[in-house]
Amino acid sequence: MSEREPGEVEQPWQRLHPRTVLASTAMTFGGVVGAGVPVAIGLLLGGVGIGWIALWVVGGIIVVTGAIAVFEALRVRASRFRLREDRIDLRVSLFASSTRSLPLRRIRAVDINADLAQRRLGLASVRLGTGDQSGSRFELTAIDRTQAEALRTAILGERSAATGDRVGRLATFDPSWLRYAPVSLGTPLIGIAALGAIVQVADWFNAVPRLLGVFNDALGALPIPVRILILLVVAVLVGIVGSLLFFVESWWGYQLDRDPDGTLHLQRGLIVRRSSSYQGARIRGVGLDEPIGYRRVGAAKLHVVAVGLDTTKEDGSKKEDSTTIVPAAPREVAVGVAAAILDADPPTSLQSHPHAAAGRRYRWSLLALIAVLIMAAVPAILWSALRGSADLWWLVAVLALLGIPISWWLCRDNIAGLGHLITPEHVVLRSGSVFRRTNILRRRGLLGWNLRQSPAQRRLGLVTLVATSAASPGSFRLPDVDPSDAHRLLATAGPAWELLWHAARERSSDTTATASETAVVRDITNRSR
C-alpha cells in the first residue's frame, strides 16, 4: 500500500452492508430449490424412494444454503472499502490481509446491479470497469442503494445521475416487444440445450434407458423423419418459452434516458435490476443489428459503440448484452434512438459494392452447399454399406431440395446487405445476411484503417477494410471494397492517411485502371505496416 501524500487526509474505511448476508442467502435458497426439482424428478425416474429423495434434496438445500450464509458473513466482516481523492481501495482481512487499489482515472464505467433480494432490502452491487480486455473488475457486493448512487456520482462526476435531470427519455419498455423474442436465432438452440440438460440429468441417475423407453413407446411406430421433425418442434416450443423468459428477465422495466451532455443512462431487469451509464464524450457511434429473423418481422437491436466498456467476464468470455441499449424492438424505435444519439438521421440507402463481390458470394454459396451434401452423403453411404439399407438417403434428398433455394436466397440477401457510405460526420459500414449489422461510426473516433487482400481478392481487384477505434469492439470490418472507393474511406481516419493515399496516387501512371488502383492500395498497405 502506498504512503500518503503530505497533507492528504486519511479517509475512513467503510463496511459492506450487513443485510448482504440475508440477500445472498435468500437468492441461493431460491436457486437451490429450483435446481432441486429436476434432481428430484431424476431420482424418481431412477427408482429411488420418496424418503431418500427428500433426504438428498432437502439435505442438499440446507447444506448449500447454510454454507453460503457462513461464507457471506465472513466475506462481509472481512471486507472494507474507501474512496479517496485519486483512487478507491478495497481491503480483505481474513487469514491474511490484502488491499487492492484502483486509480479513479482508469475507471471507465460504474454499473449498479441489484437482484430481487437486494432490491427488497435496499441494497445494490457496484462494479467498476476499466475497459481492458483482461475481464478483471473491482466489485462491491453489496452496499446501500443510496450509497451506491452517490459512489457512482463521485467517481464519474455525473451530477445529473443524482438529481434525475434528463433532457428526455429515448425509449421505454413496451410489452408488445415480447413478440420479437422468439424470432431470435438462439430460440432453437435454447430448446436443444434444454433437451440435452434433461438427458444429462437422467444420465446422472441411470434413468436414460427409462427415458428412451418412454420415447419409443410414444413415437416408436412413426418413421424416423417424423420422429426427428417432432423432436425439432418440441425443441422450438421449449426454445420459445425460454427466449420469452430470458427476454422478460433481462429487459423488463427497460428505460433509456439521455443527459444534456449526451450521456446515456440505461436501467433494465426483472429479477436482477441493472443500471449502466455511457458517457457522451466516450460514445463513438452505434451498431444496428438486424438478423434474418428480425428483418422478417421489422425488428432490430441497437448497440452503443463507446470507449472503455466492460465487455468481458472474469473468465475472458464475452459478456452478453454488455453494449445493447435497445433490445429487440420495432426497427423505427432503434433507428429513432440512433438518430438521437448521433444527432443525425441514419442513412436509408448505401453505396453498393462491385459485381465481383457478388460473384464471390455465389461461389461461396455453391461450395457451402456441396460441403453440406457431402457431409450428409458420407453417413448415408456408410449406413447403406453396413446395414444394406437406404434409410438415410432421404436426408441427402431433402438437403438438396431445400438447400438450393435457401443458399441462393441467402446469397442474394448477403449481396443486398453489403454496402457503405461516407457523410461529413460519419462512416456507415454494413455487411452480413444471417447476422447483419450496420455500424454508424463518428469519423473523429476512427484511429485508422487496415487493408487486407487475399489472393482471390487481388485477382478480382477487391480489398477488405477494417476500421480501428478505441471504442469496443475495436475493429469494424467491411469486405470486398472496390479500390477506387478505398481512398475515400482511408481519408476518414485523418489527414495522414489522406496524404499517404495522394502520394501513392501521384506515383501511379494510370489512376483509372483497376490494376493500378489495386497497386496503390497495396503500396499504402505496405507503408502502413
Side-chain angles (χ1 to χ4, degrees), residues 30-274:
V32 175
V33 169
V37 172
V39 171
I41 295 175
L43 290 172
L44 187 62
L45 292 175
V48 180
I50 298 296
W52 283 106
I53 293 177
L55 177 62
W56 280 102
V57 175
V58 177
I61 292 174
I62 294 174
V63 170
V64 173
T65 304
I68 292 298
V70 172
F71 173 79
E72 285 294 293
L74 292 175
R75 186 183 65 84
V76 170
R77 184 177 181 84
S79 302
R80 303 283 191 279
F81 73 96
R82 65 178 176 181
L83 179 65
R84 311 180 76 176
E85 292 184 0
D86 60 342
R87 61 187 179 273
I88 184 171
D89 301 325
L90 176 62
R91 173 178 293 178
V92 179
S93 302
L94 192 56
F95 300 106
S97 178
S98 64
T99 302
R100 182 181 178 187
S101 183
L102 182 64
L104 299 184
R105 54 183 169 79
R106 289 190 55 204
I107 298 175
R108 299 293 183 264
V110 180
D111 294 335
I112 299 178
N113 301 327
D115 57 39
L116 187 60
Q118 288 174 344
R119 291 207 309 273
R120 298 293 297 177
L121 296 173
L123 305 177
S125 298
V126 179
R127 295 179 181 177
L128 309 181
T130 59
D132 56 22
Q133 299 301 316
S134 64
S136 61
R137 60 177 58 87
F138 195 107
E139 185 170 355
L140 302 176
T141 309
I143 59 178
D144 185 82
R145 176 76 189 196
T146 304
Q147 187 181 16
E149 295 286 357
L151 187 63
R152 177 167 63 179
T153 302
I155 292 176
L156 297 182
E158 299 172 0
R159 291 184 298 273
S160 59
T163 63
D165 183 18
R166 304 280 193 267
V167 299
R169 178 153 294 171
L170 300 183
T172 186
F173 183 79
D174 188 338
S176 64
W177 296 356
L178 290 173
R179 67 183 186 271
Y180 300 125
V183 299
S184 170
L185 294 173
T187 295
L189 299 180
I190 295 174
I192 294 173
L195 295 180
I198 293 174
V199 175
Q200 181 62 57
V201 172
D203 182 63
W204 291 344
F205 304 102
N206 297 321
V208 174
R210 180 175 296 185
L211 190 64
L212 293 177
V214 173
F215 177 77
N216 289 329
D217 292 340
L219 305 176
L222 299 175
I224 293 179
V226 176
R227 280 186 271 176
I228 293 177
L229 181 61
I230 291 175
L231 285 177
L232 290 177
V233 171
V234 172
V236 170
L237 293 177
V238 173
I240 290 175
V241 175
S243 63
L244 288 173
L245 293 177
F246 284 136
F247 190 88
V248 169
E249 197 287 319
S250 298
W251 295 102
W252 192 266
Y254 159 78
Q255 295 177 356
L256 181 66
D257 298 313
R258 187 168 182 252
D259 286 347
D261 63 352
T263 298
L264 302 177
H265 300 279
L266 173 65
Q267 295 186 35
R268 63 185 179 93
L270 178 63
I271 298 177
V272 178
R273 189 68 176 171
R274 305 166 183 89

Side-chain angles (χ1 to χ4, degrees), residues 418-440:
L418 187 62
H420 68 276
L421 186 68
I422 301 174
T423 70
E425 298 293 331
H426 303 94
V427 174
V428 185
L429 314 176
R430 187 181 68 191
S431 62
S433 174
V434 178
F435 301 98
R436 178 175 295 176
R437 182 161 188 170
T438 304
N439 290 302
I440 308 175

